[in-house]
């Protein structure tokens, strides 16, 4: 286990610090540190995975911008300072809440399959999935949506000009920033993949191939030029003109299938948010092609039928009920979830409380049900990677919860020559072959098969909580297939166990996704709990794997108190996360 993993494991097991202190937002900070306590602010706050990006969003709030302005600033800044997942070449989902209108918007800027994509494009001559082709070539890249999503959100719901909002990101790329310890460590771990691509090697390493040491000035002039083009021309600065020419030239030179026409046709989509209820709380979350929102609501409906508080947080009885509920949700995910523009997703049926009651009736309270005995529902009631998340609140009560990604850490590892940004490998999020798991072990079927123009299914789950009609919490997480269960536990900890925001995201988590039949427990669960769960028939695992790291997610979250104060909680699982408020 690396030193980083040891650090985060110890944080989760022993670092559950919950005291509240007021942040002195003008003091210098250690750029590779992680906050271990809620930060309090009154005028606005941004919490993200990376310190400079959080400060970029705060800078815009201090200039009078609203939550959307700050979110867009943070999103562009993360493309500079957190290239593991912050991006221009990927896509994601943004949940927006406008307090004055009491309205939530679900903005889908997920990547789209190029027009030349087809169902069997990643199968070899034997009909098997070619994992290298679907993950590490330019054919693995969907048409990027991030730039369209961020610029469209700003144009519709922001208050400041694009060049003002992008100024912090441009400054960070052009003038540079001291290399953070978190980025230094990550670039060291992924050097083999990144240095295999000459352009990525040039962008992220010194000329001799060595790392920029923590504290050394790290500049990205090619990325700065791309950001300036976007600031000057909006989305057209990315999807048309010199930047688009460079992207398509890379496709043509390296066997990709994306074209100028694919870029011109890309569009973000506003969707109706998914709304659920749980013991008087309102849960507002992302609809398909996110699978996360559907299954968070589905699982809450099942869990609402038990007195979870009486069982005790993270007791064996509590974890057993969570685990069995997760199995049924992920089984349904494999069959019923996909891009709603291409497949009739039965959202109403999956989130029906009567259907949840039928699931609850199948769960044995003293024994685990093997995954082999659980299948997607035969019928439903009639209807009547590496990723990063950030959350924003402003003094007016507006909120943003944004999750976006390149899929794998650093995407497919390929950078666009002369443009300074990495490309995604999101085509792996489709079902390359029904019944064959993707890189995160998730099974899929025809609903998520590859089709031109289609958006791949995602687990990203940006989510809001409301209590008595007032905004309470904004949350979300990275973590591939684990995102859904991380968000579920974060909001349950608030709604069911009355935890403050830092405690809610710091206590140890669990994960089960139906297949493989494995219950993963973070460090910090007691040996007695693990033993009892094992005796109930659960296949309990604690070791890290390639897909599931030694910790689950990084739920950067915000909570508003009844007095109007904003509490920001940087998840301690990953170093560098920071809540910046004023």
């Amino acid at each position: 286990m690396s030193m980083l993993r040891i650090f985060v494991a110890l944080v989760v097991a022993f670092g559950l610090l919950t005291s509240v202190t007021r942040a002195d937002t003008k003091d210098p900070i250690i750029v590779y540190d992680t906050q271990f306590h809620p930060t309090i602010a009154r005028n606005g706050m941004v919490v993200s995975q990376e310190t400079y990006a959080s400060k970029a969003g705060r800078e815009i709030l201090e200039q009078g911008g609203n939550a959307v302005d700050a979110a867009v600033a943070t999103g562009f800044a993360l493309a500079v300072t957190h290239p593991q997942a912050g991006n221009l070449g990927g896509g994601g989902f943004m949940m927006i809440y406008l307090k004055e209108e009491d309205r939530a918007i679900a903005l889908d800027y997920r990547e789209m399959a190029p027009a030349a994509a087809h169902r069997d494009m990643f199968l070899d001559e034997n009909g098997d999935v070619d994992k290298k082709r679907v993950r590490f070539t330019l054919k693995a890249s969907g048409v990027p949506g991030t730039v369209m999503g961020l610029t469209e959100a700003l144009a519709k719901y922001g208050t400041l000009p694009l060049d003002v909002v992008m100024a912090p990101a441009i400054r960070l790329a052009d003038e540079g920033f001291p290399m953070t310890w978190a980025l230094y460590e990550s670039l060291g771990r992924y050097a083999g993949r990144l240095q295999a691509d000459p352009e990525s090697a040039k962008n992220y390493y010194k000329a001799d191939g060595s790392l920029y040491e923590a504290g050394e000035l790290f500049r990205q002039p090619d990325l700065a030029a791309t950001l300036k083009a976007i600031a000057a021309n909006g989305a057209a600065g990315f999807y048309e003109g010199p930047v688009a020419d460079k992207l398509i030239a890379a496709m043509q030179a390296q066997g990709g299938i994306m074209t100028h026409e694919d870029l011109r046709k890309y569009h973000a989509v506003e969707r109706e948010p998914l709304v659920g209820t749980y013991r008087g709380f309102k849960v507002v979350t992302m609809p398909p092609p996110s699978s996360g929102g559907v299954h968070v609501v589905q699982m809450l409906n099942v869990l609402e039928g038990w007195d979870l508080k009486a069982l005790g947080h993270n007791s064996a009885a509590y974890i057993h009920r969570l685990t069995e509920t997760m199995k049924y949700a992920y089984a349904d995910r494999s069959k019923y979830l996909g891009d709603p523009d291409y497949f009739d997703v039965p959202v109403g049926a999956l989130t029906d409380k009567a259907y949840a009651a039928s699931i609850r009736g199948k769960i044995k309270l003293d024994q685990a049900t093997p995954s082999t005995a659980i299948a997607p529902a035969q019928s439903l009631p009639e209807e009547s990677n590496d990723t990063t998340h950030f959350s924003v609140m402003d003094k007016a009560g507006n909120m943003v919860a944004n999750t976006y990604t390149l899929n794998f850490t650093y995407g497919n590892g390929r950078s666009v020559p002369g443009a300074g940004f990495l490309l995604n490998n999101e085509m792996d999020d489709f079902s390359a072959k029904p019944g064959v798991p993707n890189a995160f072990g998730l099974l899929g079927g025809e609903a998520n098969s590859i089709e031109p123009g289609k958006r791949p299914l995602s687990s990203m789950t940006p989510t809001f909580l409301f209590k008595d009609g007032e905004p309470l919490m904004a949350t979300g997480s990275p973590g591939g297939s684990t995102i859904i269960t991380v968000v579920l536990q974060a909001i349950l900890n608030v709604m069911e166990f009355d935890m403050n925001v830092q405690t809610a995201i710091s206590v140890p988590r669990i994960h089960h996704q139906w297949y493989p039949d494995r219950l993963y427990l973070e460090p910090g669960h007691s040996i007695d709990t693990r033993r009892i769960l094992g005796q109930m028939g659960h296949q309990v695992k604690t070791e890290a794997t390639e897909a599931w790291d030694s910790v689950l997610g990084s739920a950067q979250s915000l909570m508003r108190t009844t007095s109007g104060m904003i509490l920001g909680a940087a998840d301690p699982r990953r170093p560098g996360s920071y809540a910046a408020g004023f």
Side-chain angles (χ1 to χ4, degrees):
M1 183 181 289
S2 71
M3 290 302 295
L4 174 60
R5 291 182 178 180
I6 293 171
F7 165 77
V8 293
L10 289 171
V11 163
V12 173
F14 304 112
L16 311 181
L17 308 183
T18 59
S19 61
V20 179
T21 60
R22 181 174 300 277
D24 184 344
T25 59
K26 301 305 179 184
D27 280 353
I29 60 171
I30 302 171
V31 299
Y32 51 82
D33 196 10
T34 301
Q35 293 170 325
F36 294 101
H37 51 77
T39 299
I40 297 181
R42 182 173 292 280
N43 296 307
M45 189 178 299
V46 180
V47 58
S48 83
Q49 186 54 58
E50 202 285 316
T51 297
Y52 289 118
S54 294
K55 291 176 120 181
R58 183 184 65 194
E59 179 180 328
I60 297 304
L61 288 172
E62 289 177 324
Q63 292 181 38
N66 68 6
V68 176
D69 297 319
V72 173
T74 303
F76 278 117
L78 282 166
V80 182
T81 63
H82 190 67
Q84 301 96 311
N87 68 84
L88 303 182
F93 300 135
M94 180 183 288
M95 290 291 300
I96 301 168
Y97 175 69
L98 305 176
K99 181 67 168 76
E100 187 173 345
E101 302 176 34
D102 190 24
R103 179 164 71 104
I105 301 105
L107 181 61
D108 172 2
Y109 60 94
R110 187 78 163 129
E111 302 87 342
M112 298 172 68
H118 59 88
R119 185 180 186 276
D120 300 328
M121 63 184 289
F122 296 114
L123 302 185
D124 62 21
E125 59 275 10
N126 298 318
D128 297 322
V129 177
D130 184 333
K131 293 182 179 179
K132 181 177 180 181
R133 194 190 313 169
V134 74
R135 297 171 187 173
F136 300 114
T137 69
L138 292 197
K139 284 187 174 68
S141 297
V143 183
T146 292
V147 174
M148 185 69 74
L150 295 181
T151 55
E152 187 169 303
L154 184 73
K156 289 186 175 181
Y157 306 111
T159 62
L160 297 177
L162 180 61
D163 60 340
V164 172
V165 169
M166 290 187 65
I170 292 171
R171 185 173 66 245
L172 287 163
D174 203 11
E175 299 176 11
F177 61 93
M179 173 63 69
T180 63
W181 180 83
L183 181 54
Y184 162 79
E185 195 275 343
S186 177
L187 289 171
R189 275 195 290 150
Y190 289 90
R193 183 193 304 174
L194 291 171
Q195 292 188 346
D197 177 66
E199 196 65 19
S200 294
K202 183 194 80 172
N203 291 339
Y204 300 110
Y205 303 88
K206 296 179 181 179
D208 63 359
S210 62
L211 291 164
Y212 289 88
E213 297 292 330
E216 281 192 82
L217 186 67
F218 177 53
R219 297 181 62 247
Q220 299 170 79
D222 288 346
L223 179 57
T226 296
L227 291 169
K228 290 175 183 177
I230 297 167
N233 302 294
F238 182 86
Y239 295 93
E240 303 172 24
V243 175
D245 291 343
K246 291 172 184 175
L247 197 165
I248 300 307
M251 289 286 161
Q252 294 171 344
Q254 300 180 52
I257 60 173
M258 198 183 304
T259 66
H260 277 290
E261 186 66 10
D262 290 321
L263 291 175
R264 281 193 290 269
K265 286 186 174 180
Y266 182 82
H267 60 284
V269 181
E270 284 194 10
R271 304 191 185 276
E272 189 66 26
L274 181 59
V275 179
T277 60
Y278 185 89
R279 305 198 197 287
F281 291 87
K282 184 169 73 170
V283 181
V284 181
T285 186
M286 194 72 199
S290 165
S291 63
V294 169
H295 294 307
V296 163
V297 173
Q298 178 186 8
M299 289 188 286
L300 287 174
N301 288 343
V302 176
L303 294 165
E304 194 174 25
W306 292 305
D307 186 351
L308 301 181
K309 182 179 288 188
L311 297 175
H313 182 262
N314 277 352
S315 67
Y318 172 70
I319 291 173
H320 172 72
R321 287 163 173 77
L322 280 186
T323 302
E324 297 298 284
T325 301
M326 291 171 183
K327 290 178 185 177
Y328 281 95
Y330 278 84
D332 282 344
R333 183 190 190 278
S334 72
K335 180 176 180 179
Y336 293 112
L337 270 293
D339 184 344
D341 297 332
Y342 285 73
F343 180 79
D344 188 13
V345 181
V347 174
L350 288 166
T351 58
D352 182 76
K353 288 187 184 285
Y355 175 53
S358 74
I359 293 175
R360 192 163 54 246
K362 298 174 185 177
I363 293 174
K364 301 174 183 177
L365 299 184
D366 59 353
Q367 184 180 350
T369 301
S371 291
T372 52
I374 296 174
Q378 293 299 310
S379 63
L380 290 167
E382 291 297 323
E383 291 198 39
S384 35
N385 102 192
D386 198 59
T387 303
T388 194
H389 176 85
F390 56 88
S391 300
V392 186
M393 287 185 179
D394 64 26
K395 62 183 178 181
N398 303 308
M399 301 188 291
V400 173
N402 187 93
T403 313
Y404 70 160
T405 186
L406 291 164
N407 196 28
F408 281 15
T409 305
Y410 301 106
N412 60 14
R414 309 288 189 95
S415 293
V416 175
F421 64 89
L422 288 153
L423 290 166
N424 69 80
N425 60 348
E426 289 293 353
M427 296 297 286
D428 184 54
D429 270 2
F430 285 112
S431 296
K433 183 179 181 180
V436 176
N438 70 1
F440 296 97
L442 289 170
L443 297 176
E446 292 296 334
N448 192 38
S449 62
I450 301 171
E451 295 182 61
K454 192 174 184 179
R455 299 169 198 261
L457 186 61
S458 172
S459 297
M460 294 184 289
T461 316
T463 298
F464 297 141
L465 282 187
F466 295 82
K467 180 66 172 176
D468 299 325
E470 292 298 317
L472 175 65
M473 185 180 188
T475 191
S477 178
S481 59
T482 71
I483 291 172
I484 305 169
T485 57
V486 168
V487 172
L488 173 71
Q489 290 165 89
I491 62 176
L492 269 176
N493 290 343
V494 171
M495 296 187 297
E496 190 69 76
F497 297 101
D498 303 317
M499 294 184 188
N500 74 33
V501 66
Q502 187 68 66
T503 308
I505 67 167
S506 297
V507 291
R509 298 171 182 147
I510 72 161
H511 176 73
H512 202 298
Q513 61 182 49
W514 180 46
Y515 276 102
D517 192 352
R518 177 178 63 185
L519 170 56
Y520 182 75
L521 300 181
E522 279 190 324
H525 292 277
S526 76
I527 187 65
D528 291 333
T529 298
R530 296 199 297 270
R531 184 180 297 114
I532 293 169
L533 290 166
Q535 291 169 350
M536 297 174 77
H538 293 285
Q539 304 300 312
V540 180
K541 302 292 181 183
T542 56
E543 74 276 9
T545 69
E546 182 179 358
W548 297 334
D549 208 335
S550 54
V551 295
L552 298 171
S554 184
Q556 315 302 335
S557 304
L558 294 170
M559 182 182 289
R560 183 178 293 276
T561 69
T562 54
S563 65
M565 300 299 288
I566 301 169
L567 305 181
D571 197 315
R573 285 166 176 78
R574 302 189 185 190
S577 56
Y578 193 75
F582 77 108

